[in-house]
Amino acid sequence: MANNKIDLVLCTDLKNILESIKTNDVWLLDWPNCPNVLTTYERRESEPNNGYVFQVGNVVRNKFNNVVSKISEIEVCVPQAWGDEKIEIYGQVYYRGLWTDMMYKNHLFRYFGNNTICLITENLESPKIKKENGGDTSANTNYFEVVNCLNESRKIDIQKLFHYLDCLITQAYPEESDKKCCDNCQNKICE
């Protein structure tokens, strides 16, 4: 809780999740690239397969979870662990795990705790971004920041989300897209 101020989102998330999960011992930990994790782990594990793990106090992730849970074009897949795949309480959706995997147009994406979405392969690697004239680019960062999908009212814009997901697919698999991949696509926006 930065600057000794009460973080209302964090407090609300903690109250909601603690009322829902069935366990005695939990910790609120700060892990690299995923702050404020409510977990039954004493230390960070690479795969949360035998305990509770929920990121809490992340306003952007909360907004994203609420929207993506209702989008029929996206199938959400969460890591194996105890408890329900998601908790929905008082209108807020919490997906289990440090990340959330999603299938969109037969491609796998991962939402990370630092509010980025990355296109990944089934081997959990990021596919190489292709140059327009063939070959891979030197800057192989196949992700975007979720805050780019917020509209003026600070809500997730579904059309922007689809646009960014489509752009990642276009960059990695141009042969599958009707879009043209930008040569200098710094912000991951394709033409």
Side-chain angles (χ1 to χ4, degrees):
M1 294 183 226
N3 301 326
N4 295 327
K5 293 182 182 178
I6 295 175
D7 184 329
L8 293 180
V9 173
L10 177 60
C11 290
T12 301
D13 290 351
L14 290 172
K15 178 186 172 297
N16 289 348
I17 293 173
L18 289 172
E19 285 178 355
S20 299
I21 62 175
K22 308 294 185 252
T23 188
N24 294 329
D25 297 321
V26 294
W27 286 268
L28 181 61
L29 303 175
D30 253 0
W31 286 336
N33 298 319
C34 200
N36 295 327
V37 175
L38 184 66
T39 181
T40 54
Y41 291 126
E42 293 181 44
R43 63 185 190 285
R44 184 169 182 164
E45 300 289 334
S46 59
E47 295 291 328
N49 60 4
N50 61 356
Y52 289 100
V53 177
F54 291 96
Q55 187 180 19
V56 291
N58 184 333
V59 175
V60 174
R61 185 170 184 159
N62 285 356
K63 290 177 182 183
F64 181 82
N65 287 349
N66 288 341
V67 169
V68 80
S69 68
K70 295 170 181 70
I71 298 175
S72 61
E73 294 89 345
I74 294 178
E75 177 188 348
V76 177
C77 317
V78 297
Q80 285 294 102
W82 291 344
D84 298 325
E85 289 187 355
K86 72 177 180 178
I87 296 172
E88 188 166 354
I89 187 163
Y90 305 120
Q92 178 59 57
V93 175
Y94 303 96
Y95 286 108
R96 172 180 71 210
L98 298 176
W99 59 84
T100 304
D101 289 348
M102 303 167 290
M103 287 296 289
Y104 172 73
K105 292 187 175 178
N106 295 319
H107 292 282
L108 187 60
F109 294 86
R110 180 166 283 177
Y111 186 108
F112 288 100
N114 63 357
N115 295 324
T116 58
I117 293 180
C118 182
L119 175 64
I120 58 176
T121 65
E122 289 182 15
N123 297 332
L124 306 180
E125 299 170 353
S126 182
K128 302 288 185 191
I129 297 174
K130 305 293 181 193
K131 291 182 183 176
E132 185 177 335
N133 59 356
D136 300 334
T137 65
S138 57
N140 191 26
T141 52
N142 212 347
Y143 70 93
F144 65 90
E145 296 180 20
V146 177
V147 293
N148 293 333
C149 298
L150 297 177
N151 61 22
E152 302 80 38
S153 351
R154 306 295 296 160
K155 295 183 179 178
I156 299 290
D157 182 317
I158 295 171
Q159 294 310 310
K160 281 185 180 180
L161 174 63
F162 287 159
H163 173 75
Y164 279 96
L165 294 173
D166 288 334
C167 287
L168 293 183
I169 294 169
T170 298
Q171 291 175 42
Y173 307 104
E175 66 281 358
E176 294 181 24
S177 178
D178 56 353
K179 293 182 180 182
K180 181 180 179 225
C181 186
C182 307
D183 241 2
N184 296 319
C185 199
Q186 284 182 320
N187 295 321
K188 309 293 180 245
I189 300 173
C190 297
E191 298 172 359

